[in-house]
Amino acid sequence: MYEFTSRVRYSETGPDARMKLSALVARMQDCSVFHSLSIGRGPEDWAREECGWMIMSWRIVAGDMPLCGEPVTTATWAYSFTGVRGGRNFTAKDKDGRMFAKADSLWIYFDRKKHRPIKVPPVESLGYGTEPQLEDFEPAPKRIPRPEGPGTIHAPIAVTEAYIDTNHHMNNLVYIDLALGFLPEGFKVHELRIEYLHQVRFGEKLIPKTWEKDDGYYIIMENEEGEICAIVQFLPAVPDTSGR
């Protein structure tokens, strides 16, 4: 397991002075990279070898977020390596040690030169090791159901250099940030699920489509060829009817 503690920055908060969902996911991504660096692996190694990890899906469940200035401890560990795939859990705890968020993620090890997944090398799998998976927590989805109906088509989004990461494609967090922008005002996200299907690179365009369903909101982002690049599902918080 790897963990780090850092106060909630003002730049990570929304109008309510609490940490935003996108900031939480960014911390989880950072935590996974810090874990890699702690075993002697990192972006420079992956660039030199032209290989590295690519995320395939997230499942993130979050409750009440901490306030600006409060310390947050983010932790991560790997729980499985099978062929080209790896599974990784995350938790986030507040100043009182309360777990306010947890996540599961599925990854593949990718050869950027050959443009295909390859078997996870021992330097990665043995370096991280494995620990037990989060109990009573459904893993990240391998496939999110496609919403029925035509949906609402929105204006294309140009992929700028600011969206590109060390894998030379649009970073997974950018999809989440863009998708959050399509939610109606006041919609409180309890659970986020996202599946990545096709890489997007600098200079390309994304066509967002949205659906409002009984179980929440769906956002699909397609490229100009009509291929689905990512599908996002936001599930709402269940209203408190206890009267407390």
Side-chain angles (χ1 to χ4, degrees):
M1 178 185 289
Y2 181 90
E3 65 179 33
F4 76 99
T5 301
S6 178
R7 296 171 69 188
V8 177
R9 300 165 180 83
Y10 179 74
S11 59
E12 296 180 303
T13 61
D16 59 357
R18 293 186 179 275
M19 187 165 68
K20 295 182 291 186
L21 177 61
S22 56
L24 169 67
V25 187
R27 283 179 177 239
M28 290 178 173
Q29 177 178 255
D30 289 341
C31 195
S32 67
V33 175
F34 294 161
H35 190 189
S36 297
L37 291 168
S38 76
I39 67 165
R41 301 288 289 169
E44 290 186 356
D45 303 286
W46 302 323
R48 183 180 63 254
E49 298 164 8
E50 297 189 79
C51 298
W53 291 101
M54 290 176 52
I55 192 164
M56 302 303 293
S57 61
W58 280 106
R59 179 186 180 224
I60 301 166
V61 174
D64 292 334
M65 296 291 199
L67 289 163
C68 181
E70 294 184 343
V72 169
T73 299
T74 310
T76 187
W77 63 94
Y79 62 80
S80 72
F81 296 100
T82 307
V84 303
R85 298 178 181 272
R88 179 178 284 276
N89 282 151
F90 298 83
T91 60
K93 295 182 180 181
D94 64 15
K95 59 184 175 63
D96 299 316
R98 177 186 65 91
M99 186 190 302
F100 67 89
K102 54 187 175 180
D104 185 70
S105 56
L106 299 177
W107 305 70
I108 59 169
Y109 205 74
F110 196 80
D111 187 320
R112 295 206 304 260
K113 186 163 54 177
K114 297 180 180 178
H115 301 285
R116 63 179 178 85
I118 58 173
K119 187 175 181 180
V120 179
V123 68
E124 295 277 344
S125 57
L126 295 178
Y128 298 116
T130 57
E131 299 181 49
Q133 194 170 358
L134 274 171
E135 294 183 0
D136 302 320
F137 189 66
E138 181 184 341
K142 292 182 179 178
R143 184 178 174 84
I144 295 175
R146 278 46 175 168
E148 297 181 356
T152 302
I153 301 175
H154 301 268
I157 299 170
V159 178
T160 69
E161 189 174 6
Y163 294 165
I164 305 301
D165 63 16
T166 55
N167 283 323
H168 304 288
H169 62 198
M170 192 166 91
N171 186 264
N172 74 92
L173 298 180
V174 179
Y175 293 92
I176 297 172
D177 258 336
L178 294 175
L180 284 165
F182 292 106
L183 292 177
E185 184 177 2
F187 184 90
K188 186 175 181 180
V189 178
H190 172 65
E191 182 173 339
L192 160 67
R193 299 184 179 199
I194 181 166
E195 176 190 359
Y196 303 96
L197 294 104
H198 192 84
Q199 296 183 65
V200 180
R201 302 187 183 278
F202 171 69
E204 298 181 0
K205 290 184 178 180
L206 285 173
I207 315 298
K209 298 179 180 179
T210 59
W211 289 258
E212 181 179 0
K213 298 293 184 180
D214 292 340
D215 59 349
Y217 282 81
Y218 291 79
I219 296 95
I220 286 179
M221 299 185 189
E222 298 179 351
N223 60 22
E224 293 179 285
E225 286 72 44
E227 298 170 308
I228 296 179
C229 301
I231 176 169
V232 189
Q233 181 184 17
F234 291 112
L235 284 69
V238 177
D240 184 358
T241 58
S242 65
R244 292 178 293 179

